[in-house]
Amino acid sequence: MKAYIFPGQGAQFTGMGKDLYENSLKAKELFQQANEILGFDITKIMFEGTADELKETKVTQPAIFLHSTILAEVMGSKFKPDMVAGHSLGEISALVANKTLAFSDGLQLVYKRALAMQKACEVTPSTMAAVLGLDDHLVEEICANTPGIVVAANYNCPGQLVISGDVNAVEKACESLKEAGARRALILPVGGAFHSPLMEPAREELAAAIEDTHFKKPACPIYQNVSTFAVTEPSKIKENLIFQLTAPVKWTQSVQNMIKDGATNFVEVGPGNVLQGLVKKIDRNAETEKGEA
């Protein structure tokens, strides 16, 4: 069975999507529609912008969403998912690709999500850190015993976990994690504590937008970051998506459940190849490939 997986923030690069724009009329139409919906020329930033311009959350999130969803559209009959999943932001790309959300609705949600997260980041000085080489339970325990707000945010693959919280708590936790034997505990260059309780204002803001958006029955199951199991019920998909901003991304568990349910081949649709690498670390027998137009 084929699983299609969609990347999140951090996969962006200058020139992303330009080949799709130049070689497909359908892609060109969707990119132009996106410029109108967003009210600014995102294609110009995607094709010619600097790394700093692309790094702005309000640009990064829609840019990655557009690259992923337009590529899935251009793949045409080659795009035949038995199941889908997306890492953080990639979950909304996956929901457009499996026909739960209309393209325009998905883009508007992504943009509202980006702005709400940006706003939440400005409230409290916060950050994230990558932790390598420690058991998940030990990382969770150290976070729980660290003063302030710091939690496990991304379960990327065995031995690779990202923590998230207020700056002081994350720094203290990193010291304790190194003392406990972590190979690395490295502060990441991000503007806030994504997938932590500090995203609560963004979750509240996005919840209203999600409730007002029409979710259809998907063409195939989605394995969501919050629940990690196959979901096909639109009301449940909505509920999981609302909690995603303050809950951890359980990528390891999602991939393990997809494999348990029959996935043998994982196709990464969108910029970069980070997710293929993570899938291989979760199960080296899984086949991975890059989605091509």
Side-chain angles (χ1 to χ4, degrees), residues 95-107:
L95 288 170
V96 170
N98 80 346
K99 309 297 183 198
T100 305
L101 285 172
F103 171 78
S104 57
D105 287 342
L107 178 57

Side-chain angles (χ1 to χ4, degrees), residues 20-231:
L20 297 172
Y21 184 91
E22 288 171 347
N23 296 313
S24 162
L25 190 60
K26 179 69 183 166
K28 197 172 200 173
E29 283 170 9
L30 289 169
F31 275 120
Q32 286 168 347
Q33 191 185 330
N35 288 337
E36 285 165 28
I37 290 168
L38 296 172
F40 66 93
D41 196 345
I42 192 164
T43 49
K44 189 172 172 61
I45 304 172
M46 286 172 72
F47 303 163
E48 301 164 22
T50 64
D52 279 347
E53 286 172 316
L54 271 173
K55 211 164 60 182
E56 269 193 86
T57 296
K58 68 170 190 178
V59 173
T60 313
Q61 294 198 20
I64 290 167
F65 166 87
L66 289 171
H67 191 288
S68 298
T69 53
I70 292 173
L71 174 56
E73 185 66 39
V74 171
M75 285 169 78
S77 59
K78 282 192 288 184
F79 185 78
K80 287 181 182 159
D82 294 300
M83 54 185 83
V84 295
H87 192 286
S88 190
L89 152 76
E91 190 157 285
I92 301 178
S93 308
L95 288 170
V96 170
N98 80 346
K99 309 297 183 198
T100 305
L101 285 172
F103 171 78
S104 57
D105 287 342
L107 178 57
Q108 283 168 343
L109 277 186
V110 165
Y111 193 50
K112 283 173 184 166
R113 179 185 193 269
L115 294 177
M117 286 169 81
Q118 190 65 52
K119 217 188 293 177
C121 290
E122 287 156 14
V123 176
T124 308
S126 54
T127 192
M128 302 175 84
V131 182
L132 304 183
L134 270 194
D135 184 75
D136 290 351
H137 297 302
L138 187 52
V139 178
E140 290 163 354
E141 196 181 304
I142 287 169
C143 286
N145 291 320
T146 302
I149 295 172
V150 57
V151 295
N154 295 354
Y155 294 80
N156 285 333
C157 66
Q160 190 192 120
L161 210 157
V162 175
I163 61 172
S164 181
D166 68 73
V167 171
N168 288 340
V170 171
E171 285 174 351
K172 281 197 189 84
C174 283
E175 286 167 25
S176 304
L177 290 160
K178 283 176 194 162
E179 283 164 20
R183 204 164 70 244
R184 305 274 298 272
L186 183 73
I187 302 283
L188 297 171
V190 295
F194 305 139
H195 301 288
S196 83
L198 293 173
M199 283 291 121
E200 182 57 30
R203 189 195 69 78
E204 286 172 13
E205 210 172 306
L206 195 64
I210 289 170
E211 291 294 2
D212 289 343
T213 302
H214 179 57
F215 281 56
K216 290 183 291 200
K217 192 127 180 96
C220 68
I222 180 163
Y223 288 67
Q224 289 181 278
N225 297 172
V226 168
S227 71
T228 79
F229 297 105
V231 189

